[in-house]
Amino acid sequence: MTVTYDEALTRYEPVFGLETHVELGTRTKMFCGCLTTFGGEPNSQVCPVCLGLPGSLPVVNRTSIEYTVKIGLALNCSIASWCRFARKNYFYPDMPKNFQISQYDEPLCTDGYLDVSVGGEIVRVGIERVHLEEDTGKSLHVGGATGRIHGAEYSLVDYNRAGIPLVEIVTKPVPGTGFLAPEVARAYVTELRDVLRSLDVSDVRMEEGSMRCDVNTSLSVLGSGVWGTRTETKNVNSLRSVERAVRTEIERQAAVLDEGGRVIQETRHFHEDTGATTSGRSKEEAQDYRYFPEPDLVPVAPAAEWVESIRASLPELPSARRARLISSWALTDLEFESMRNAGALDAVEATIAAGASSGDARKWWMGELARRANEAGVEMASLPITPADVARVSALVSAGTLNDRLARQVLDGVLAAEGTPDEVVAKRGLAVVSDDSALLAAIDEAIAANLDVAEKVRSGKVAASGVIVGAVIKATKGKADAARVRDLVLERLS
Ligand SMILES: [Zn+2]
């Protein structure tokens, strides 16, 4: 039995929550001095501490605490004045110590929120906690068709990632978003990624796994006020997949409930190719991790003055930037969202800083250049043109040296690596013909070739002058300014 998304929403209220793991961009690992660089030879960035060898002792990386406090403050959390790390005991082959140093009942940051905008509406997502832990290594299963352990001939383990500082950001359950639940989930992860990027604490690359999401979803019968059993979809690794995972689970759980079944509390795997989730490990019996305070580490007690100095050093956050740009560029919420989604904000802002008006900067980036980026299948930011180039083209248009048509050819030239806008104008001979005597010669020729039209214009049918203006523009290969030509034609025929 299948239930469509729309049908499901007529009977059930979705509630979702997100747990996001983010690898911090510290130079060295959480409890040792090994480098964190991505892509090194397997097991080349390891030492007795991150390999969990007997007798080795961990030391906390101060920068990782500072980054976590930054994240907590940016998410409006309270920062603990004293907290401890804890051992989370479980066996996993890519976890060398057979326990993970994490935080349990004493997280560093608690009780915050993040406001996200969906279709111009603000939704406040509560933040339960932000805590710090260490990442595991990576297993590589060789010889099977799927890359999974099932069917593999042997497995390899790379411990380079083991011990990289990992922040876990856990939301409170988000009820009440109804039909928009999948979109709100995606908008939250997008906003969170933008916040982390602005803080410069992680490279937040979902495709490289430095940011990974687990999505919790449950349904309650509409109006019952009783929350349903939730499932946890693991390792959802793109923004689009976050949206799809929530949507898929809503449809799947609605079908189960409609048949009188019950949703099982379990982890589920998301499949990027089909968008489906499949059953993983059951969580009906809560696993006992036998947490206890980590005896090899002193408690973390960030001084209030230090926390305040971090607060004072926070950069402009995406929500503040959004408010500033909407007001100074006179945008609607939807215009802002489309610019943000197109990745155009930085380029437009830099183009304005280089001297263009906000209207012109937006016009060129969101029109012509967005189209070129789209055709080439690349991000706008990776087009081979700088904001200064775009500002220069815009200045040449304002000065009357170029019209829009010529300006597009100048952009072509810059994108084809022919040089700066001025160099392209010179090389291609693109400047508007502004010399009236050159224009008048072309106008006289056009009048001579269209004597009947000229007669109509002389007798007062001004609109007919378009034919002669058009002939002049054609004769000058588009380099004449149409308004100026029209003025001159009318003057000639008055
Ligand atoms: Zn190490």
Side-chain angles (χ1 to χ4, degrees):
M1 172 175 181
T2 56
V3 176
T4 67
Y5 184 71
D6 290 7
E7 265 174 48
L9 270 288
T10 62
R11 293 188 284 279
Y12 303 103
E13 165 74 35
V15 179
F16 70 88
L18 286 141
E19 295 172 19
T20 308
H21 284 94
V22 180
E23 272 182 9
L24 294 181
T26 53
R27 196 178 64 83
T28 55
K29 292 187 181 178
M30 184 69 226
F31 301 113
C32 63
C34 292
L35 293 178
T36 57
T37 328
F38 182 77
E41 274 291 296
N43 299 309
S44 62
Q45 294 159 200
V46 294
C47 75
V49 174
C50 57
L51 287 176
L53 300 188
S56 61
L57 286 173
V59 177
V60 173
N61 179 332
R62 179 186 165 99
T63 308
S64 69
I65 303 286
E66 181 186 331
Y67 282 6
T68 308
V69 169
K70 258 190 191 179
I71 295 169
L73 292 172
L75 297 176
N76 307 290
C77 290
S78 308
I79 308 300
S81 55
W82 191 93
C83 64
R84 283 177 299 187
F85 283 97
R87 281 192 188 181
K88 181 180 184 181
N89 295 281
Y90 64 105
F91 173 77
Y92 212 73
D94 56 18
M95 201 175 59
K97 295 195 291 281
N98 284 338
F99 62 84
Q100 180 188 32
I101 303 180
S102 181
Q103 292 194 287
Y104 180 47
D105 50 355
E106 301 171 15
L108 190 50
C109 319
T110 50
D111 200 22
Y113 62 84
L114 181 63
D115 286 340
V116 303
S117 157
V118 176
E121 297 284 319
I122 299 292
V123 179
R124 177 158 292 187
V125 176
I127 304 291
E128 177 83 36
R129 58 189 280 157
V130 178
H131 74 247
L132 192 51
E133 59 192 32
E134 57 179 337
D135 209 346
T136 60
K138 254 184 190 169
S139 301
L140 180 68
H141 306 296
V142 185
T146 58
R148 291 171 186 269
I149 194 165
H150 189 78
E153 285 169 30
Y154 60 93
S155 297
L156 298 167
V157 188
D158 176 7
Y159 289 118
N160 283 354
R161 198 177 69 176
I164 289 184
L166 198 62
V167 153
E168 183 171 341
I169 300 159
V170 183
T171 70
K172 296 176 181 171
V174 184
T177 55
F179 195 83
L180 288 176
E183 269 183 77
V184 175
R186 177 185 182 145
Y188 163 79
V189 179
T190 307
E191 183 78 11
L192 180 63
R193 188 193 59 177
D194 290 351
V195 167
L196 297 169
R197 193 175 278 155
S198 75
L199 295 173
D200 200 20
V201 294
S202 168
D203 60 14
V204 286
R205 293 206 183 113
M206 292 185 89
E207 68 282 6
E208 279 181 8
S210 60
M211 179 167 175
R212 329 192 267 274
C213 289
D214 300 339
V215 183
N216 295 322
T217 315
S218 69
L219 294 184
S220 69
V221 175
L222 211 58
S224 71
V226 182
W227 286 8
T229 304
R230 72 192 166 110
T231 59
E232 181 181 9
T233 307
K234 300 290 269 185
N235 293 326
V236 184
N237 290 335
S238 74
L239 296 171
R240 177 167 171 263
S241 297
V242 168
E243 185 173 345
R244 289 168 87 206
V246 174
R247 197 185 167 95
T248 302
E249 267 305 282
I250 290 172
E251 290 169 355
R252 189 191 66 82
Q253 291 182 20
V256 170
L257 295 171
D258 277 2
E259 281 184 327
R262 69 183 187 96
V263 173
I264 297 165
Q265 190 176 346
E266 63 184 353
T267 59
R268 298 185 66 84
H269 300 296
F270 181 74
H271 301 277
E272 294 278 344
D273 45 350
T274 59
T277 67
T278 52
S279 181
R281 175 163 50 95
S282 167
K283 283 198 153 184
E284 298 266 278
E285 292 159 33
Q287 194 172 349
D288 181 3
Y289 292 112
R290 294 167 292 121
Y291 281 100
F292 60 86
E294 168 59 55
D296 289 343
L297 288 169
V298 292
V300 175
E305 309 82 68
W306 188 51
V307 171
E308 286 315 306
S309 75
I310 294 171
R311 192 194 301 276
S313 74
L314 290 181
E316 180 184 43
L317 296 173
S319 57
R321 185 185 193 204
R322 172 193 154 85
R324 176 173 62 79
L325 295 184
I326 282 181
S327 135
S328 72
W329 297 352
L331 302 174
T332 65
D333 290 324
L334 291 177
E335 282 170 340
F336 177 86
E337 274 175 38
S338 81
M339 289 180 70
R340 189 193 61 183
N341 295 344
L345 293 179
D346 290 343
V348 170
E349 200 168 18
T351 304
I352 294 169
S357 73
S358 68
D360 284 346
R362 276 166 50 208
K363 178 180 108 175
W364 290 113
W365 283 106
M366 290 301 289
E368 196 62 18
L369 293 165
R371 189 174 63 75
R372 307 290 177 100
N374 208 12
E375 281 169 8
V378 298
E379 298 283 315
M380 229 185 275
S382 50
L383 286 174
I385 189 166
T386 66
D389 291 335
V390 178
R392 180 61 187 154
V393 169
S394 167
L396 290 170
V397 173
S398 303
T401 309
L402 296 176
N403 55 29
D404 278 8
R405 187 170 159 278
L406 293 172
R408 282 195 287 277
Q409 295 181 42
V410 175
L411 294 176
D412 277 338
V414 175
L415 291 169
E418 290 171 23
T420 65
D422 291 287
E423 287 164 355
V424 174
V425 167
K427 274 187 206 164
R428 292 195 179 191
L430 290 178
V432 165
V433 177
S434 53
D435 173 3
D436 281 359
S437 62
L439 288 179
L440 285 172
I443 286 168
D444 287 343
E445 267 177 48
I447 288 173
N450 295 282
L451 285 174
D452 51 333
V453 179
E455 199 44 50
K456 280 186 195 163
V457 178
R458 278 204 188 90
S459 67
K461 289 183 180 159
V462 174
S465 67
V467 175
I468 295 172
V469 173
V472 174
I473 300 284
K474 197 174 169 197
T476 55
K477 299 191 168 65
K479 290 181 202 166
D481 176 56
R484 180 69 191 144
V485 171
R486 186 170 182 277
D487 287 349
L488 290 172
V489 167
L490 293 180
E491 216 171 86
R492 213 57 163 176
L493 297 177
S494 65

